[in-house]
């Protein structure tokens, strides 16, 4: 008795070898029928004996391709047709488009083997890929995911490649970017002059090109290398002279550079590789992993000044492997600096027209002609308690699909399911998120919208998301800050509803979704800056919150920002306010180093401003960390975001010894708890005066923060009876603070939640915005 079943499968099932997998599975169980991509996923019809169909279904659920992700399988019994054989049919294009597009994947083990196999027809070919690996999101222009909708459409497959593409038993069956030396993209090396002139000739046989690039790197040259989601600036990491030159040219005096190696074994001698870190390092997503330095080598200070961590990634494009392998002729253990190729505050360069932005930075260009459609920077992750924590989410991690934990009432759920929401994000570290069919899909990391080129990047990515995900916002959510460009964009849109959302509520809501929480929680949001309901700048907040609303239950005592945003760049200004606030002119008897940062006239003006009380007020925890770094004479003016706070963390993490804490007091004003920082800084100064080390004091500062969080949430647990604590905000990027806080809270029986899939910094804000909006429109 023959039966026929129609299956609709949703999830990441396009561009990950799903159809060939189904084909092979149907052959294995001798079933007839067909499979094709439709705009919502994959549709299969299978026909044959019932037991065989059952085996087929079991195996489908248990062993689908490694990079695929099955969300739902809908089954329908239909009338048998008696056809013979199994077919892969043409994809169907439709109007209502929503497809789970896969993220980019590094070259796989099989392709890597072929790449270095002399007899293979793709020997040393930099664009080798297969059904299980290669570019995806960055080359897709439209759906369904088929070659004509990718940037590979300009390359016509040769007969050998065509055969592989159509042969269900080949590794490259329906591999959309399939290519070889006969028919695929090429690469070439150009001097900076040639590169800027823009007339390129590319070669498929790149052996010579790669060899020359390796020689140039050995000679201490800086090369811009086109990769998967954009360009990198590359040089020899162990050549301190060229690393310093790169810093000068890129106007980036101290921000750490990312490194690339082709083998994790090499890392063992430089970094501590904890459990979980090796797996994440070798994962086909290939993020930059922040690894603790084991022993400082002489070259590290130039690559990552004052850092205790190195950001390292494993090679992911075939040409990265080719280059590192060519370098092995000259060096035993080649390590490359691979920093994003962009001008300060500009987006990553991803197209040849933008190369002129790099003219002051590079000596050579290594360019290929497979166009990058979606710009996508490298992702950054760290491992905390064996769990991956995403710091910057981009290549290999976007797009991703996080289901919004469902609402209790099914009726409400059904109506929300259909609503399409756009969350425009914050300003610094901007991302946007969309909510469609109850999935949250976040954009890759965009950056600081104050720069017009980043704003353009925001607009382009959004229009791409509209197209690829068939998304048209009905509701738009934005930050309360009136000056954010993302907010102004939201106001310019024409749509049904617009919802303003408080910055830190969005942070907490993002972390709630990250941990599938829907109930009321204590939210601790320690952040740089966010617009408050009282028009002051919030950033050291304790909320009682759920996904719909929040109550501000506690915060740091307000302090003034001398020169508003100038105070963010100059932590010494914050330090001055905080100390002058309670020491007044006695401050100048103390001979504190940071005071020398100011010119006499400047100091007079600042003191006058403090006395007149005409300053923007903030409760920002981030600024308190900055101030501590300045008082300790670590940093008075920063060259990249959060530099001072990061230095404070680095000093603190050297410290080994008994944990001590400064004093602090928690008072109550108008029903809201308020933490006074005065005793804290007053104790700190005493420690400086008796000559305690910077690392001791920095650690004590961190531990004080963990303790004050504990004392505050204990009060809130008593008042509100809530035991779940959610930690969010940029300050929790500080691994030491996170570690100490989680530990202290767990000791007193709190359940503690922090970010992992969404960044704790402002890149997570857009996620929280769509979540809060979705709860407030019903
Ligand atoms: Zn492969
Ligand atoms: Zn070919
Ligand atoms: Fe924030």
């Amino acid at each position: 008795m023959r039966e026929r079943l129609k299956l609709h499968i949703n999830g990441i099932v396009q561009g990950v070898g799903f159809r060939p997998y189904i084909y092979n599975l149907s052959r294995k169980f001798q079933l007839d029928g067909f499979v094709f991509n439709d705009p919502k996923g994959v549709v299969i019809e299978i026909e044959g004996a019932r037991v065989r169909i059952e085996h087929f279904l079991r195996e489908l659920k248990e062993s689908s391709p490694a990079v695929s992700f099955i969300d739902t399988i809908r089954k329908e019994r239909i009338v048998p047709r008696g056809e013979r054989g199994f077919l892969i049919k043409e994809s169907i294009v439709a109007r209502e488009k929503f497809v789970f597009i896969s993220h980019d994947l590094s070259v796989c083990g099989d392709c890597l083997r072929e790449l270095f196999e002399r007899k293979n027809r793709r020997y040393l070919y930099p664009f080798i890929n297969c059904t299980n690996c290669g570019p995806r999101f960055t080359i897709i222009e439209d759906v369904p995911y088929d070659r004509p909708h990718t940037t590979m459409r300009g390359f016509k497959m040769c007969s050998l490649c065509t055969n592989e593409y159509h042969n269900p038993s080949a590794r490259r069956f329906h591999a959309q970017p399939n290519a070889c030396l006969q028919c695929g993209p090429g690469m070439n090396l150009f001097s900076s002059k040639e590169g800027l002139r823009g007339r390129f000739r590319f070669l498929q046989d790149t052996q010579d090109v790669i060899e020359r690039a390796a020689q140039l790197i050995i000679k201490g040259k800086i090369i811009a290398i086109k990769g998967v989601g954009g360009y990198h600036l590359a040089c020899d990491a162990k050549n301190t002279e060229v690393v310093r030159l790169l810093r000068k040219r890129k106007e980036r005096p101290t921000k750490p550079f990312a490194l690339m190696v082709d083998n994790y074994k090499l890392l063992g001698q430089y970094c501590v590789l904890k459990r979980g870190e090796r797996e994440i390092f070798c994962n086909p997503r290939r993020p930059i992993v922040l690894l603790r330095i084991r022993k400082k080598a002489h070259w590290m200070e130039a690559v990552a000044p004052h850092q205790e961590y190195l950001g390292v990634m494993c090679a992911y494009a075939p040409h990265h492997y080719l280059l590192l392998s060519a370098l092995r002729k000259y060096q035993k253990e080649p390590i490359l600096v691979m920093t994003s190729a962009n001008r300060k505050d500009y987006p990553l360069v991803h197209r040849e027209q933008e190369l002129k932005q790099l003219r002051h930075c590079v000596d050579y260009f290594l360019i290929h002609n497979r166009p990058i459609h979606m710009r996508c920077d490298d992702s950054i992750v760290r491992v905390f308690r064996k769990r991956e924590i995403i710091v910057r989410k981009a290549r290999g991690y976007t797009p991703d699909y996080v289901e919004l934990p469902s609402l209790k009432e099914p009726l409400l759920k059904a109506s929300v399911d259909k609503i399409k929401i756009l969350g425009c994000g914050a300003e610094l570290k901007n991302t946007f998120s969309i909510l469609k069919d109850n999935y949250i899909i976040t954009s890759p990391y965009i950056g600081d919208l104050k720069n017009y080129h980043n704003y353009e990047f925001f607009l382009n990515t959004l229009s791409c998301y509209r197209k690829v995900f068939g998304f048209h916002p009905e509701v738009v959510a934005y930050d309360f800050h009136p000056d954010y460009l993302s907010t102004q964009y939201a106001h310019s849109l024409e749509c049904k509803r617009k919802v303003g959302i408080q910055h830190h509520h969005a942070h907490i809501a993002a972390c709630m979704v990250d941990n599938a929480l829907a109930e009321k929680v204590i939210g601790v949001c320690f952040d740089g800056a966010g617009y408050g309901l009282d028009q002051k700048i919030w950033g050291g907040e304790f909320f009682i919150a759920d996904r719909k609303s929040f109550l501000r239950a506690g915060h740091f005592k307000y302090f003034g920002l001398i020169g508003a945003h100038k105070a963010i760049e100059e932590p010494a200004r914050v330090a001055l306010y905080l100390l002058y606030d309670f020491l007044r002119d006695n401050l100048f008897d103390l001979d504190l180093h940071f005071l020398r940062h100011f010119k006499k006239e400047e100091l007079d003006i600042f003191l006058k401003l403090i006395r007149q009380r005409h300053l923007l007020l903030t409760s920002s925890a981030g600024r308190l960390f900055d101030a501590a770094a300045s008082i300790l004479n670590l940093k008075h003016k920063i060259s990249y975001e959060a530099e001072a706070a990061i230095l404070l963390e680095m000093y603190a993490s050297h410290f080994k010894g008994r944990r001590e804490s400064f004093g602090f007091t928690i008072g109550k004003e108008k029903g809201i708890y308020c933490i006074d920082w005065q005793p804290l800084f007053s104790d700190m100064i005493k420690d400086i005066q008796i000559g305690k080390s910077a690392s001791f004091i920095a650690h004590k500062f961190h531990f004080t923060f963990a303790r004050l969080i504990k004392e505050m949430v204990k009060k809130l647990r008593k008042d509100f009876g809530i035991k779940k604590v959610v930690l969010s905000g940029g300050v929790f990027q500080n691994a030491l603070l996170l570690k100490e806080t989680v530990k202290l809270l767990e000791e007193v029986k709190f359940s503690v939640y922090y970010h992992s899939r969404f960044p704790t910094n402002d890149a997570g804000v857009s996620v929280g915005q769509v979540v809060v909006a979705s709860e407030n429109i019903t």
Side-chain angles (χ1 to χ4, degrees), residues 221-234:
K221 299 292 179 199
I222 298 168
I223 307 186
I225 302 178
K226 186 175 178 181
V228 174
Y231 278 76
H232 285 111
L233 299 178

Side-chain angles (χ1 to χ4, degrees), residues 478-514:
Y478 60 89
D479 195 284
F480 273 138
H481 203 306
D483 300 339
Y484 281 2
L485 262 173
S486 55
T487 302
Q488 287 166 15
Y489 173 78
H491 289 314
S492 76
L493 276 182
E494 271 178 42
C495 68
K496 269 195 224 156
R497 272 195 74 174
K498 295 176 187 179
V499 192
I501 287 152
Q502 203 279 324
H503 186 89
H504 304 103
H505 187 209
H507 269 300
I508 297 295
C511 191
M512 290 180 71
V513 174
D514 209 333

Side-chain angles (χ1 to χ4, degrees), residues 75-181:
K75 282 180 256 174
E76 217 180 309
R77 201 166 293 278
I78 53 174
V79 185
R81 289 204 218 154
E83 77 209 307
R84 293 290 162 196
F86 195 90
L87 274 179
I88 294 184
K89 288 196 179 177
E90 284 294 308
S91 304
I92 288 184
V93 192
R95 276 138 277 131
E96 185 57 31
K97 303 189 265 189
F98 182 54
V99 131
F100 294 79
I101 289 166
S102 162
H103 50 81
D104 297 283
L105 301 156
S106 68
V107 58
C108 73
D110 291 330
C111 287
L112 207 50
R113 219 165 297 127
E114 290 186 11
L115 182 65
F116 290 103
E117 218 169 60
R118 247 168 222 289
K119 274 179 270 160
N120 195 283
R121 71 184 191 89
R122 290 189 180 84
Y123 177 57
L124 304 184
Y125 181 59
F127 302 93
I128 187 168
N129 67 84
C130 73
T131 314
N132 290 318
C133 76
R136 296 288 186 274
F137 176 62
T138 52
I139 62 164
I140 292 175
E141 295 172 335
D142 203 351
V143 286
Y145 175 60
D146 273 332
R147 191 160 172 124
H149 289 144
T150 70
T151 61
M152 281 298 290
R153 72 188 135 82
F155 300 94
K156 193 176 178 302
M157 275 187 275
C158 69
S159 61
L160 284 173
C161 285
T162 309
N163 286 344
E164 291 169 327
Y165 183 86
H166 290 295
N167 175 4
S169 56
R171 287 208 305 116
R172 298 192 168 84
F173 180 55
H174 282 227
Q176 306 304 343
N178 189 24
C180 76
L181 280 104

Side-chain angles (χ1 to χ4, degrees), residues 11 19 24 33 39 48 50 86 109 127 292 326 337 345 371 415 533 573 660 696 744:
R19 285 174 300 170
N24 290 328
R50 173 183 278 186
F86 195 90
F127 302 93
R292 182 119 199 185
V337 162
D345 301 326
S415 63
L533 299 182
R573 294 186 184 213
E660 292 184 32
F696 169 80
L744 286 191

Side-chain angles (χ1 to χ4, degrees), residues 504 526-530 537-539 618 620-623 729-731 762:
H504 304 103
F526 278 16
D527 202 28
I537 303 300
W538 293 6
T618 185
S620 164
R623 295 293 86 78
V731 173
D762 278 9

Side-chain angles (χ1 to χ4, degrees), residues 41-75:
V42 162
V43 178
I44 306 167
E45 287 193 22
I46 36 166
E47 186 172 324
R50 173 183 278 186
V51 282
R52 292 203 174 129
I53 291 182
E54 276 165 9
H55 284 306
F56 174 94
L57 289 174
R58 194 170 314 134
E59 191 155 332
L60 173 67
K61 279 175 199 153
E62 282 165 9
S63 67
S64 52
V67 285
S68 68
F69 150 71
I70 296 180
D71 179 44
T72 53
I73 303 180
R74 197 155 52 82
K75 282 180 256 174

Side-chain angles (χ1 to χ4, degrees), residues 13 117 172 190 238 313 317 376 430 451 473 507 527 566 572 592 612 638:
V13 288
E117 218 169 60
R172 298 192 168 84
F190 304 92
K238 293 182 188 167
M313 63 187 141
C376 221
N430 177 276
N451 180 307
H507 269 300
D527 202 28
K566 277 270 168 52
L592 290 167
Q612 287 172 341
I638 60 171

